[in-house]
């Protein structure tokens, strides 16, 4: 090597060592500062409680319940009493008179019956008064009171549009509740997945820091051996390269943890709904070791999933709503036969002196000819029922498929975690042996780095497999709608 080459190599080596000395390497398990030590590890249950309490999209779903209550209140308003007032004055002719009519109507849910009561008065204002052919307009001085009831016998008897509206609105309340339940399952699963991603990112960062600590910890020993002539200078340079490489991996792992914390903060919120960024000090010490699901629990969940999943129950409630429409359309195809019974009594002096009130019974018959409106609505309702039946059949199949798929994912992740743990243990042992060989002078930094990198990658695969297992359990809970 030329003199210039030797000088450049020495300058490069000194610069690399100086950069390494300026950056104090973190240890494998760096103790957090006192403030961080006081932080409790963030538990999954804490995140899920935050989702239930203040997650915005879940709050938006809860507004559907308020809308359902408003729809029911509006439907019940169809049975509010109504007051009608009508006044007529005839002036400027031979006959001059005034009439007033006040009617109060109260629809009821009892077979569609309507109660009514009223008051009317008719008075002449000149000598002509009220013409004889309008004799029914004239009342005694104090007017006439009346009351009665109207009852539909066929059409609008068993059901009418007002009672159908209430039944649909009443069914809308459980539908709104099921929408909330479905949203809760979805967002709780999403929160669990983001939580385990965050914990896994923390473990990946710990592994990267552990690798960096190994390289930095032996750098001084390598330098001493090079000075004694036990190792060639290239070994120290190679170790410096490894340190720089592992520092870069630590930086990437820190960014991964930051990204995972940001994603988790979308679900982890305070009582006012503000996002909370979890800190590194809140990371659990490790991912919990996977455990197999109980066969008895799996059997119970498979049988109960159809009854618990909100999608199936929602379609069932929607079908009941369409069944109300079908029942109403069938009823509207019948002829209308309405029976009315009313009593009236004139008050005060006048031409009509009655000791007892007059009682009037009437029958009204309305026979539809083409009835295309009701027939068309009946066809729509039948088609809607057929559509929902098919959707229900698919929803049940979908639930069973989700349960099978989630269970398969749990079992696969469990097996992967066990195999990854075996690989990690073997890789650690091999890396430890390679380090011992290096210390004895029977290996190189390149071989040590490769063994340590393989051990680290195996440890990361354990982290990934465990995270996948816990995310699969979250998906399984959502698929079976477990509390």
């Amino acid at each position: 090597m030329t003199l210039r080459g030797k000088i450049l190599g020495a300058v490069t080596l000194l610069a690399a060592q100086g950069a390494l000395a300026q950056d104090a390497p973190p240890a494998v398990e760096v103790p957090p500062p006192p403030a961080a030590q006081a932080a409790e590890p963030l538990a999954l249950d804490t995140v899920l409680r935050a989702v239930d309490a203040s997650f915005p999209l879940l709050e938006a779903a809860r507004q559907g319940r308020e809308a359902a209550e408003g729809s029911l209140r509006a439907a019940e308003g169809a049975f509010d009493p109504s007051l009608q007032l009508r006044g007529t004055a005839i002036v400027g002719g031979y006959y001059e008179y005034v009439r007033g009519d006040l009617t109060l109507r109260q629809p009821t849910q009892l077979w569609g019956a309507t109660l009514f009561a009223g008051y009317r008065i008719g008075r002449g204002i000149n000598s002509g008064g009220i013409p004889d052919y309008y004799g029914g307009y004239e009342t005694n001085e104090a007017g006439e009171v009346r009351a009665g009831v109207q009852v539909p016998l066929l059409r609008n008897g068993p059901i009418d549009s007002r009672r159908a509206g209430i039944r649909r609105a009443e069914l809308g309340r459980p539908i709104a509740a099921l929408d909330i339940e479905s949203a809760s399952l979805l967002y709780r699963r999403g929160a669990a997945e983001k939580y385990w991603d965050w914990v896994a990112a923390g473990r990946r960062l710990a592994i990267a820091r552990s690798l960096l600590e190994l390289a930095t910890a032996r750098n001084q020993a390598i330098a001493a051996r090079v000075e004694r002539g036990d190792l060639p200078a290239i070994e120290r340079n190679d170790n410096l390269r490894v340190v720089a490489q592992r520092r870069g991996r630590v930086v990437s792992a820190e960014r991964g943890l930051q990204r995972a914390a940001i994603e988790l903060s979308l679900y982890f919120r305070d009582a006012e709904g503000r996002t909370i960024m979890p800190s590194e000090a809140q990371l659990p010490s490790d991912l919990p070791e996977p455990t197999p699901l109980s066969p008895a629990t799996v059997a119970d969940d498979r049988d109960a999933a159809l009854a618990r999943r909100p999608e199936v129950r929602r379609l069932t409630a929607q079908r009941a709503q369409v069944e109300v429409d079908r029942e109403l359309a069938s009823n509207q195809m019948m002829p209308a036969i309405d029976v009315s019974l009313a009593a009236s009594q004139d008050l005060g002096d006048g031409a009509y002196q009655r000791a007892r009130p007059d009682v009037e019974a009437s029958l009204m018959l309305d026979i539809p000819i083409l009835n295309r409106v009701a027939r068309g609505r009946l066809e729509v309702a039948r088609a809607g029922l057929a559509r929902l039946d098919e959707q229900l059949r698919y929803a049940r199949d979908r639930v069973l498929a989700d349960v099978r798929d989630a269970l398969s994912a749990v079992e696969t992740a469990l097996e992967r975690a066990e195999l990854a743990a075996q690989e990690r243990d073997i890789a650690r042992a091999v890396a430890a042996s390679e380090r011992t060989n290096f210390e004895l002078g029977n290996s190189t930094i390149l071989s040590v780095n490769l063994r340590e990198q393989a051990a680290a990658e195996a440890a990361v695969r354990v982290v990934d497999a465990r995270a996948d297992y816990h995310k699969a359990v979250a998906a399984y809970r959502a698929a079976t709608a477990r509390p």
Side-chain angles (χ1 to χ4, degrees), residues 229-251:
D230 293 343
L231 285 176
I234 191 173
E235 295 293 342
R236 180 167 53 180
N237 291 339
D238 198 19
N239 194 67
L240 291 173
R241 177 192 63 80
V242 170
V243 169
Q245 181 187 63
R246 293 181 181 182
R247 282 188 184 280
R249 288 173 178 165
V250 168
V251 172

Side-chain angles (χ1 to χ4, degrees), residues 236-429:
R236 180 167 53 180
N237 291 339
D238 198 19
N239 194 67
L240 291 173
R241 177 192 63 80
V242 170
V243 169
Q245 181 187 63
R246 293 181 181 182
R247 282 188 184 280
R249 288 173 178 165
V250 168
V251 172
S252 297
E254 288 173 345
R255 167 57 187 147
L257 179 60
Q258 291 172 357
R259 182 173 59 249
I262 292 169
E263 290 295 321
L264 180 58
S265 71
L266 294 175
Y267 296 90
F268 185 37
R269 296 169 180 264
D270 61 17
E272 285 72 35
R274 296 185 294 263
T275 59
I276 301 175
M277 183 80 71
S279 67
E280 185 177 344
Q282 292 178 282
L283 280 165
S285 59
D286 201 355
L287 282 157
E289 190 169 344
T291 55
L293 296 175
S294 166
T297 299
V298 170
D300 292 342
D301 287 339
R302 187 184 294 112
D303 295 337
L306 287 174
R308 288 198 300 243
R309 279 282 286 269
E311 302 96 314
V312 176
R313 289 183 288 153
R314 189 184 193 281
L315 286 170
T316 302
Q318 287 180 316
R319 192 186 188 286
Q321 282 185 322
V322 179
E323 182 62 34
V324 172
D325 295 335
R326 187 205 62 77
E327 184 180 346
L328 176 62
S330 297
N331 177 264
Q332 294 302 299
M333 295 182 65
M334 296 181 179
I337 303 177
D338 296 350
V339 175
S340 296
L341 185 65
S344 62
Q345 176 67 58
D346 280 284
L347 307 174
D349 297 332
Y352 305 99
Q353 300 296 329
R354 292 177 287 179
R356 294 183 301 176
D358 291 338
V359 178
E360 177 184 346
S362 64
L363 177 68
M364 191 276 291
L365 178 63
D366 180 9
I367 302 177
I369 303 302
L370 297 178
N371 216 350
R372 289 182 291 179
V373 173
R375 194 183 304 277
R377 289 176 178 170
L378 181 60
E379 293 173 356
V380 170
R382 287 173 175 169
L385 289 173
R387 182 182 67 251
L388 286 169
D389 286 339
E390 295 302 321
Q391 290 176 342
L392 265 171
R393 184 171 67 170
Y394 176 78
R396 294 189 181 99
D397 293 342
R398 179 74 267 174
V399 167
L400 296 177
D402 288 347
V403 172
R404 285 194 293 266
D405 182 64
L407 182 60
S408 172
V410 170
E411 293 172 346
T412 301
L414 179 62
E415 185 176 1
R416 281 180 52 218
E418 293 172 350
L419 294 174
Q422 295 175 14
E423 179 194 2
R424 177 201 58 192
D425 295 341
I426 295 172
R428 283 177 175 175

Side-chain angles (χ1 to χ4, degrees), residues 404-451:
R404 285 194 293 266
D405 182 64
L407 182 60
S408 172
V410 170
E411 293 172 346
T412 301
L414 179 62
E415 185 176 1
R416 281 180 52 218
E418 293 172 350
L419 294 174
Q422 295 175 14
E423 179 194 2
R424 177 201 58 192
D425 295 341
I426 295 172
R428 283 177 175 175
V430 171
S433 298
E434 196 68 40
R435 282 192 295 268
T436 301
N437 289 337
F438 177 74
E439 292 170 359
L440 297 175
N442 298 326
S443 183
T444 63
I445 283 296
L446 177 61
S447 297
V448 172
N449 178 50
L450 292 175
R451 299 300 188 187

Side-chain angles (χ1 to χ4, degrees), residues 13-269:
L13 180 59
L14 289 173
Q17 289 177 334
L20 182 61
Q22 291 176 1
D23 297 331
V28 179
E29 296 292 341
V30 181
Q37 284 181 346
E40 291 290 333
L42 180 60
L44 176 59
D45 285 346
T46 304
V47 177
L48 296 182
R49 283 196 297 270
V51 170
D52 291 338
S54 54
F55 187 62
L57 295 182
L58 191 54
E59 288 297 315
R62 290 191 178 107
Q63 297 307 310
R65 181 167 51 197
E66 301 298 323
E69 293 293 340
S71 297
L72 178 58
R73 192 172 299 110
E76 291 173 341
F79 288 91
D80 290 346
S82 62
L83 185 65
Q84 297 174 339
L85 176 63
R86 180 177 182 180
T88 303
I90 305 297
V91 296
Y94 177 76
Y95 298 105
E96 292 187 339
Y97 57 94
V98 293
R99 293 187 295 117
D101 196 334
L102 178 68
T103 302
L104 176 65
R105 291 185 173 274
Q106 176 61 66
T108 71
Q109 298 192 45
L110 182 60
W111 202 261
T114 299
L115 304 176
F116 60 88
Y119 172 82
R120 71 183 182 89
I121 186 170
R123 305 279 295 275
I125 58 177
N126 65 3
S127 58
I130 298 177
D132 294 340
Y133 47 82
Y134 287 152
Y137 289 171
E138 188 173 0
T139 65
N140 286 354
E141 290 181 357
E144 177 194 84
V145 294
R146 67 186 183 277
V149 60
Q150 181 179 359
V151 181
L153 300 182
L154 290 180
R155 189 197 305 171
N156 297 324
I159 187 173
D160 58 21
S161 59
R162 291 175 293 197
R163 282 173 285 163
I166 288 181
R167 287 167 59 181
R168 281 194 297 265
E170 287 175 340
L171 289 167
R173 289 195 294 182
I175 289 176
L178 290 169
D179 286 341
I180 297 172
E181 186 177 338
S182 180
S184 178
L185 286 174
L186 175 64
Y187 301 136
R188 286 170 67 90
R189 174 183 174 180
E193 290 178 347
K194 296 302 181 183
Y195 174 81
W196 294 119
D197 284 341
W198 173 67
V199 176
R203 298 310 305 157
R204 294 189 196 98
L205 176 58
I207 292 170
R209 286 174 175 170
S210 175
L211 268 181
L212 176 61
E213 169 63 18
L214 288 173
T216 55
R218 64 171 167 253
N219 190 65
Q220 188 174 0
I222 292 176
R225 291 179 63 183
V226 170
E227 293 296 331
R228 293 195 306 266
D230 293 343
L231 285 176
I234 191 173
E235 295 293 342
R236 180 167 53 180
N237 291 339
D238 198 19
N239 194 67
L240 291 173
R241 177 192 63 80
V242 170
V243 169
Q245 181 187 63
R246 293 181 181 182
R247 282 188 184 280
R249 288 173 178 165
V250 168
V251 172
S252 297
E254 288 173 345
R255 167 57 187 147
L257 179 60
Q258 291 172 357
R259 182 173 59 249
I262 292 169
E263 290 295 321
L264 180 58
S265 71
L266 294 175
Y267 296 90
F268 185 37
R269 296 169 180 264

